[in-house]
Amino acid sequence: MRDIVHLNAGAASARLVPAAGGRVSALHLAAPDGRLVEVLHPYPEDFIDPVRWGKGGLYPLLPYSNRIAQARVRVQGEEVRLEPHPDALPHTLHGTAHLQPWTVEHHDAASAVLVLDAAPSPAWPWHYTGRLDITLTQQALHMRIAIRNAGMRVMPAGIGLHPYFKHAPAAQLGYRATTWWLSTADFLATSGRALAADEIYQPPRALPAGGLTHYVGGWDGQADVDLPRGARLRIQADPVFQHLVVHRPDTAAYLCIEPVSHVADGFNLAARGVAGTGTHWLAPGETLAGAMQFVLLNGENP
């Protein structure tokens, strides 16, 4: 069994697995009426594979989210080659922080601080540090994620969280956004445009049937999603998280709603002059950070 950090706040509980990339492996929140709701599709705590990780729980997206096309990125006019991910060839996938063990800097009954010192590697040849501040209350999980450029040269950077929510195919999803990003068959964003009528999710409605991956921009930082058995969860995020990824596999086993700072392949899009990508470049010593919370609005007995 991996070392587990247990958080408790009244009836609510969360389980953290620092060695598995700083993951939250399980989360139960108490609804306003006191009933307990399982929020996350559970992560297999005894399974750590840095290439084909278990699909469950919630993990940090650092130093970027999603894919970088052809595993190449331009920084200050220089093309930097990265190590591609074998399941996303020839591209990269979801950064490196969730593939490394994190350290518990602080831990009490209802909160924890996890930190990561990530040395340069073929997958990311910049030195960075990561930090997760996690606090549990009866109705919410509060998280702040930060990345600091610990090296001596400019570094592209992005932040986000990748949760796998409990899901029923008829569940409704609601959010406000301004931009729909078109994408290729291998999940690279290409250009943004205004939302079409069937791409608007306010008021909330069910997703189309089957597997899907949606990239939206101009997100206002709030999203509501139905969990099984009548529960509804609200995501509230700081303005740095202007992009949202909505992903569901063909099996509909779970639903991922990922608040992120930039769109897929945003660094390369920005280098070509595409606007609205949400990308950041950090000077040495500079930090990019943002907070979000997952709040249970109501629920029924499981």
Side-chain angles (χ1 to χ4, degrees):
M1 175 67 68
R2 303 285 174 179
D3 288 339
I4 307 298
V5 174
H6 301 265
L7 302 183
N8 293 279
S13 65
R15 295 169 64 89
L16 316 181
V17 191
R23 278 170 168 79
V24 179
S25 61
L27 175 64
H28 291 79
L29 296 175
D33 59 10
R35 290 173 287 185
L36 200 61
V37 174
E38 185 175 15
V39 175
L40 298 175
H41 185 74
Y43 171 80
E45 294 173 349
D46 285 334
F47 176 80
I48 297 180
D49 185 332
V51 176
R52 295 176 176 89
W53 52 87
K55 301 299 190 289
L58 180 159
Y59 63 80
L61 295 169
L62 295 176
Y64 62 90
S65 73
N66 218 283
R67 289 157 175 77
I68 296 178
Q70 306 300 319
R72 298 180 183 184
V73 61
R74 296 196 69 82
V75 181
Q76 296 185 315
E78 174 191 0
E79 183 178 87
V80 180
R81 296 194 176 193
L82 310 173
E83 186 175 68
H85 191 281
D87 284 352
L89 292 172
H91 317 303
T92 68
L93 183 62
H94 288 331
T96 61
H98 67 293
L99 310 179
Q100 302 179 62
W102 289 58
T103 299
V104 181
E105 182 178 271
H106 166 79
H107 166 38
D108 60 26
S111 68
V113 176
L114 307 183
V115 294
L116 171 68
D117 188 351
S121 70
W124 194 253
W126 294 274
H127 184 192
Y128 72 90
T129 60
R131 180 183 173 104
L132 286 170
D133 292 83
I134 305 169
T135 301
L136 181 69
T137 65
Q138 285 216 80
Q139 287 181 229
L141 184 71
H142 304 262
M143 299 187 69
R144 181 181 184 272
I145 183 170
I147 182 171
R148 178 181 176 272
N149 182 354
M152 300 302 294
R153 55 187 178 137
V154 171
M155 179 184 77
I159 56 177
L161 292 176
H162 193 310
Y164 296 78
F165 293 118
K166 286 280 188 178
H167 181 60
Q172 292 194 337
L173 170 65
Y175 61 81
R176 289 184 174 88
T178 62
T179 306
W180 188 270
W181 285 89
L182 303 176
S183 59
T184 65
D186 50 353
F187 307 106
L188 299 173
T190 57
S191 61
R193 58 162 173 74
L195 301 174
D198 63 350
E199 295 162 351
I200 296 172
Y201 282 85
Q202 194 57 244
R205 63 184 179 88
L207 291 162
L212 52 85
T213 300
H214 296 165
Y215 301 145
V216 297
W219 178 47
D220 72 355
Q222 180 169 301
D224 290 349
V225 59
D226 289 345
L227 300 175
R229 298 186 179 273
R232 175 162 286 193
L233 189 77
R234 174 163 292 169
I235 304 170
Q236 296 173 310
D238 284 351
V240 67
F241 302 104
Q242 296 183 1
H243 292 260
L244 202 62
V245 179
V246 179
H247 169 74
R248 184 173 65 190
D250 292 340
T251 62
Y254 51 78
L255 176 65
C256 301
I257 304 173
E258 307 158 37
V260 294
S261 59
H262 63 86
V263 73
D265 199 33
F267 304 120
N268 289 318
L269 291 174
R272 296 198 294 270
V274 177
T277 61
T279 46
H280 295 262
W281 281 261
L282 299 184
E286 191 174 4
T287 295
L288 177 66
M292 69 182 75
Q293 58 182 348
F294 304 90
V295 185
L296 192 66
L297 301 181
N298 55 60
E300 295 181 355
N301 288 317

